[in-house]
Amino acid sequence: MSPRKIIIDTDPGQDDAVAILLALASPQEIDLLGITCVAGNVPLELTSKNARIICELAGKTDVPVYAGCDRPMGRELVTAEHVHGRTGLDGPDLPDPQMPLSDGHAVDFIIDTLRTQPAGSVTLCPIGPLTNIATAFNKAPDIVEKVHEIVLMGGAYFEVGNVTPTAEFNIYVDPQAADIVFTSGVPIVAMPLDVTHQVLVTKPRNKALRALATPVGTAVAQMTDFFERYDREKYGSEGAPLHDPCVIAYLIQPDLFSGRHINVEIETTSELTMGMTVADWWGVTDRKANATFIGGVDSQGFFDLLTERLARL
Ligand code: RIB
Ligand code: CA
């Protein structure tokens, strides 16, 4: 089977970094057309720098990296340095990138790619706030029907919020953009906190990453050692949740995951519940299903896949 053409839209962030590395390590399954960066965990200047740092760590400097939107569509930017550190990639000491940003805006790269690739051949993989994706859909409505699928990290139902009592960070930062994406009609697979909180980098798993004894394995172990602090303190978790790599692992081995095709709507009005993903998991409304909402994962199978693939870099 030919590799799936994807664009990763990202706000690195340690977990974004692991997702990018997993994609770069899996060329048989994934043809990474480009990386588009958005403001989120840290400001755009840092997310677009961090994406290049990760490409160079993997030795894959031929992947174009674009800078995109530096703020949400209709709200002030909220960042997460308290989780990811000042740089967004705290943990390892990685050199500044030598590879340049690609010319042009990330939104135009998304539009141009969808207009030039065969219709229905490109999957969008947003793992940060959805600002770039929604802006592209607004600027070029003709591309919406050309998207094969959107596989994203965002939202929560049973796990409720991680940035407010009701909202997950990616959706909360730009709820207007999320509403545009979830009402676009494009087939969506959503990886909410309900599943990402099941894939924790426990001490044995961190040890297995260090045991790779490669620059990638060591850097990922150092990233997750740093990144786990927030979830350990807040949730008593046994390690860092690898939110974003769930998106890439799904593309490679979908049978690791399970979920339901349900209606998901985004709160964009009430400040009390702003950014909440109102997921009709129990089918109590007649609202049309618009997303496959993932709730289960074989977490050890996920880590076995991740570790085996990272060993290839
Ligand atoms: O809530 C988790 C999400 O927010 C992840 O994508 C993480 O990188 C941050 O962007
Ligand atoms: Ca992210």
Side-chain angles (χ1 to χ4, degrees):
M1 195 164 114
S2 58
R4 191 192 285 225
K5 293 177 180 177
I6 76 168
I7 294 173
I8 293 180
D9 190 74
T10 179
D11 63 335
Q14 290 89 348
D15 60 316
D16 302 69
V18 181
I20 294 167
L21 290 168
L22 179 56
L24 292 171
S26 308
Q28 308 91 327
E29 296 92 350
I30 292 172
D31 178 3
L32 180 54
L33 301 177
I35 296 173
T36 52
C37 302
V38 68
N41 285 321
V42 287
L44 178 68
E45 185 185 350
L46 284 172
T47 59
S48 53
K49 173 182 174 185
N50 292 342
R52 290 177 284 152
I53 288 175
I54 294 308
C55 288
E56 291 187 349
L57 173 66
K60 307 282 185 183
T61 55
D62 56 339
V63 177
V65 177
Y66 294 86
C69 298
D70 65 0
R71 72 199 64 205
M73 296 182 100
R75 294 171 67 83
E76 289 303 310
L77 176 61
V78 171
T79 54
E81 287 88 347
H82 60 293
V83 178
H84 298 275
R86 185 188 57 76
T87 70
L89 273 190
D90 284 28
D93 181 14
L94 297 172
D96 284 352
Q98 298 305 308
M99 66 184 280
L101 276 172
S102 293
D103 292 336
H105 195 284
V107 167
D108 294 324
F109 171 72
I110 293 167
I111 294 168
D112 295 345
T113 301
L114 285 164
R115 283 177 171 164
T116 52
Q117 292 288 339
S121 68
V122 177
T123 297
L124 300 179
C125 298
I127 52 177
L130 291 162
T131 317
N132 284 342
I133 309 299
T135 302
F137 285 3
N138 278 357
K139 185 174 180 181
D142 60 288
I143 68 170
V144 173
E145 64 182 10
K146 298 179 188 295
V147 180
H148 171 66
E149 187 174 48
I150 294 175
V151 184
L152 64 86
M153 191 279 144
Y157 180 61
F158 293 102
E159 286 291 289
V160 259
N162 62 355
V163 63
T164 72
T166 58
E168 178 278 327
F169 181 80
N170 288 341
I171 308 298
Y172 177 73
V173 168
D174 200 339
Q176 189 180 347
D179 186 46
I180 290 168
V181 170
F182 275 82
T183 57
S184 67
V186 175
I188 292 173
V189 176
M191 294 285 167
L193 297 178
D194 303 29
V195 64
T196 69
H197 278 179
Q198 297 177 47
V199 287
L200 304 177
V201 185
T202 59
K203 291 298 176 206
R205 289 167 178 167
N206 188 282
K207 196 173 169 196
L209 291 167
R210 285 186 188 280
L212 294 178
T214 61
V216 166
T218 303
V220 169
Q222 291 170 332
M223 282 185 213
T224 52
D225 266 345
F226 178 87
F227 175 52
E228 73 172 21
R229 300 175 314 21
Y230 177 77
D231 285 75
R232 271 187 187 280
E233 285 161 25
K234 179 168 182 176
Y235 298 105
S237 304
E238 288 181 23
L242 283 186
H243 306 290
D244 296 337
C246 285
V247 166
I248 306 303
Y250 175 83
L251 300 179
I252 299 168
Q253 201 173 329
D255 61 3
L256 288 172
F257 298 90
S258 61
R260 290 183 183 178
H261 192 57
I262 62 171
N263 177 266
V264 178
E265 307 232 345
I266 311 297
E267 174 65 76
T268 58
T269 308
S270 160
E271 280 301 333
L272 180 64
T273 54
M274 185 60 70
M276 181 176 188
T277 46
V278 183
D280 190 6
W281 183 264
W282 299 112
V284 296
T285 77
D286 57 1
R287 294 196 288 254
K288 184 171 178 290
N290 60 338
T292 298
F293 203 73
I294 301 295
V297 61
D298 167 2
S299 54
Q300 190 52 48
F302 168 90
F303 272 92
D304 292 347
L305 172 68
L306 176 66
T307 308
E308 183 270 324
R309 290 299 166 100
L310 293 183
R312 300 183 183 186
L313 293 174

